[in-house]
């Protein structure tokens, strides 16, 4: 099989193109083309508006016996979109436009007609001036008079507007210039003020950075609240902590009972006996028992009073003073009795 798309076709050696019959078509033959309406128009039958750019399937034919500079003129047939009435228009190569023929009226046609009329009058005038020099002079005088009249009418209108408006344009311009100057001056002042404030803040910041950052302002001394002892034995611990710590060897009785000499109120509870004579120790057995009974009693009382509140400390202190007074009186009586027995034996 041969190719579907070929560039070179086969011609037999006995091919004669003159023997091919020519197709004879009429000169006014019509073609169906797709076009857009070249201008706005209105149908004469139903009054429907057909706007520029609307698409139609039109029939196209060549106008017979009408040619412009060898260019053929074409005619187009369309149908109204509402009533299907036939509308025809043709090309106008002289004015590069289209001409309405039948079935509708062109919108905005008055302006175009006026322009065409002015062009026609201008053309006639130029034709007259070519052959008649006096006509040229007359036309020039008419034009100058028309210009003078137009200028006078314009001046009158300006004067009328000035009388009615009463607006001082120069004063307005001066006021606007003053306003602009004041605005610029205020803006400059604001800029200068802002620059000064920024420089001051930067200077103070630099001074603060240069200064010693470790130094802090001294805080005001706060008043220490007196501590309320929660237990009666806390008084002994507070007084021991107030004095300088000295490592002293505690006595045997201090290990069991505690140190009592630190408190002036309790210093009289225990009295050390001077070891002068051995006989005194035997005779003072009862006294020792009494003396030993005093601190033990105090210890038991302090242990029992641990659970008491802080308000009962004063009452317990008064009881301790009474007990110390009784112990001292008993010890003095025993000492006097032992002295009397020594004198009788001698």
């Amino acid at each position: 099989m041969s190719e579907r798309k070929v560039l070179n076709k086969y011609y037999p050696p006995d091919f004669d193109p003159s023997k091919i019959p020519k197709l004879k078509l009429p000169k006014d033959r019509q073609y169906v083309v797709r076009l857009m309406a070249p201008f706005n128009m209105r149908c004469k039958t139903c009054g429907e508006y057909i706007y520029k750019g609307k698409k139609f399937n039109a029939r196209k034919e060549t106008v017979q016996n009408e040619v412009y500079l060898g260019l053929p003129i074409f005619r187009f047939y369309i149908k109204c979109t509402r009533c299907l009435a036939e509308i025809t228009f043709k090309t106008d190569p002289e004015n590069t436009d289209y001409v309405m023929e039948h079935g509708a009226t062109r919108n905005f046609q008055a302006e175009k007609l006026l322009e065409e009329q002015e062009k026609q009058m201008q053309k006639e005038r130029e034709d007259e001036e070519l052959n008649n020099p006096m006509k040229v002079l007359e036309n020039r005088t008419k034009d100058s008079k028309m210009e003078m009249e137009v200028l006078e009418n314009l001046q009158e209108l300006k004067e009328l507007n000035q009388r009615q408006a009463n607006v001082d344009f120069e004063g307005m311009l001066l006021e606007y210039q003053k306003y602009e100057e004041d605005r610029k001056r205020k803006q400059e002042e604001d800029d200068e003020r802002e620059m000064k404030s920024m420089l001051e803040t930067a200077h103070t910041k630099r001074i603060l950075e240069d200064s010693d950052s470790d130094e802090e302002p001294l805080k005001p001394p706060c008043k220490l609240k007196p501590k309320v002892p929660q237990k009666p034995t806390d008084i002994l611990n507070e007084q021991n902590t107030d004095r300088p710590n000295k490592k002293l060897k505690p006595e045997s009785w201090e290990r069991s009972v505690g140190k009592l000499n630190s408190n002036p109120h309790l210093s009289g509870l225990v009295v050390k006996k001077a070891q002068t004579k051995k006989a005194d120790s035997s005779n003072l057995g009862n006294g020792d028992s009494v003396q030993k009974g005093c601190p033990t009693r105090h210890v038991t009382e302090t242990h029992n009073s641990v659970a008491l509140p802080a308000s009962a400390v004063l009452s317990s202190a008064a009881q301790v003073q009474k007990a110390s007074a009784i112990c001292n009186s008993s010890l003095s009586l025993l000492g006097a009795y032992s002295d009397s027995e020594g004198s009788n034996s001698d």
Side-chain angles (χ1 to χ4, degrees), residues 52-53 82 101 124 126 169 198 208 211 214 249 264 314 336:
K52 182 179 179 180
R82 185 177 180 185
E101 277 191 334
E124 291 176 357
E126 289 176 358
F169 295 100
M198 290 174 68
L208 291 173
S211 63
D214 295 336
K249 187 176 181 180
L314 298 174

Side-chain angles (χ1 to χ4, degrees), residues 172-298:
M172 290 175 64
L173 292 172
L174 291 173
E175 289 180 359
Y176 181 73
Q177 290 178 357
K178 289 180 180 179
Y179 170 74
E180 286 292 326
E181 291 176 357
D182 294 339
R183 187 176 64 81
K184 289 180 180 179
R185 182 172 50 79
K186 288 180 180 179
Q187 188 173 2
E188 290 177 356
E189 290 177 357
D190 294 338
D191 294 340
E192 290 179 358
R193 195 181 302 110
E194 189 173 358
M195 287 293 292
K196 287 180 180 179
S197 63
M198 290 174 68
L199 290 172
E200 288 178 358
T201 53
H203 185 62
T204 53
K205 187 176 180 181
R206 188 178 297 172
I207 291 172
L208 291 173
E209 288 178 354
D210 294 340
S211 63
D212 190 5
S213 60
D214 295 336
E215 293 181 1
E216 294 181 356
L218 295 175
K219 294 182 180 179
C222 58
K223 295 181 180 179
L224 296 174
K225 295 181 180 180
K227 292 183 180 180
V228 179
Q230 295 180 358
K231 299 178 181 179
T233 56
D234 292 342
I235 300 172
L236 302 175
N237 297 328
E238 289 178 0
Q239 292 177 356
N240 290 331
T241 54
D242 292 340
R243 293 184 180 181
N245 295 326
K246 293 181 180 179
K247 294 183 180 180
L248 300 174
K249 187 176 181 180
E251 298 293 337
S252 60
W253 64 270
E254 288 178 355
R255 294 175 187 172
S256 62
V257 178
K259 191 173 182 181
L260 301 177
N261 293 331
S262 61
N263 194 347
H265 299 289
L266 304 177
S267 60
L269 290 176
V270 178
V271 178
K272 295 182 179 179
K273 184 180 178 182
Q275 297 179 0
T276 56
K277 295 179 181 181
K278 295 181 179 180
D280 296 338
S281 62
S282 61
N283 293 328
L284 291 175
N286 297 327
D288 293 336
S289 63
V290 173
Q291 187 177 2
K292 292 178 181 177
C294 293
T296 55
R297 183 182 177 185
H298 170 67

Side-chain angles (χ1 to χ4, degrees), residues 16-206:
D16 188 6
S18 62
K19 292 180 180 181
I20 297 173
K22 291 183 180 180
L23 183 62
K24 294 181 180 180
L25 296 174
K27 292 182 180 180
D28 56 351
R29 187 167 65 94
Q30 294 181 352
Y31 301 92
V32 178
V33 294
R34 183 78 171 172
L35 59 80
M36 290 188 292
F39 47 79
N40 298 324
M41 62 185 80
R42 186 181 182 186
C43 180
K44 289 182 179 179
T45 306
C46 63
E48 179 71 13
Y49 285 97
I50 299 172
Y51 296 98
K52 182 179 179 180
K54 190 171 181 61
K55 292 182 179 181
F56 291 95
N57 293 324
R59 292 181 287 113
K60 171 188 169 184
E61 68 176 9
T62 304
V63 179
Q64 299 297 324
N65 301 324
E66 288 188 18
V67 178
Y68 176 75
L69 301 176
L71 298 174
I73 295 172
F74 301 101
R75 183 181 286 113
F76 300 94
Y77 298 89
I78 63 173
K79 291 184 179 181
C80 177
T81 56
R82 185 177 180 185
C83 64
L84 301 177
E86 193 175 56
I87 300 170
T88 61
F89 55 89
K90 62 182 180 179
T91 58
D92 185 9
E94 184 179 358
N95 300 317
T96 63
D97 199 1
Y98 292 85
V99 179
M100 195 72 205
E101 277 191 334
H102 174 71
T105 56
R106 184 171 179 175
N107 296 338
F108 310 108
Q109 187 73 14
E111 186 177 358
K112 185 179 179 182
L113 292 173
L114 183 61
E115 290 177 358
E116 290 179 355
Q117 189 175 1
E118 287 179 355
K119 287 180 182 179
Q120 188 175 0
M121 290 174 65
Q122 186 71 20
K123 189 176 180 180
E124 291 176 357
R125 182 177 177 180
E126 289 176 358
D127 293 339
E128 288 178 358
E129 288 178 355
L130 286 173
N131 299 324
N132 191 356
M134 294 299 294
K135 193 71 176 178
V136 175
L137 185 58
E138 290 177 0
N139 292 334
R140 286 181 181 176
T141 53
K142 286 180 181 179
D143 293 339
S144 61
K145 286 181 180 180
M146 286 288 292
E147 288 178 1
M148 292 295 293
E149 289 177 0
V150 169
L151 289 173
E152 288 177 359
N153 293 331
L154 183 62
Q155 190 66 26
E156 289 178 0
L157 289 172
K158 285 182 178 179
E159 291 177 358
L160 182 62
N161 290 333
Q162 287 180 357
R163 275 185 246 149
Q164 291 178 353
N166 294 325
V167 177
D168 188 6
F169 295 100
E170 294 181 357
M172 290 175 64
L173 292 172
L174 291 173
E175 289 180 359
Y176 181 73
Q177 290 178 357
K178 289 180 180 179
Y179 170 74
E180 286 292 326
E181 291 176 357
D182 294 339
R183 187 176 64 81
K184 289 180 180 179
R185 182 172 50 79
K186 288 180 180 179
Q187 188 173 2
E188 290 177 356
E189 290 177 357
D190 294 338
D191 294 340
E192 290 179 358
R193 195 181 302 110
E194 189 173 358
M195 287 293 292
K196 287 180 180 179
S197 63
M198 290 174 68
L199 290 172
E200 288 178 358
T201 53
H203 185 62
T204 53
K205 187 176 180 181
R206 188 178 297 172

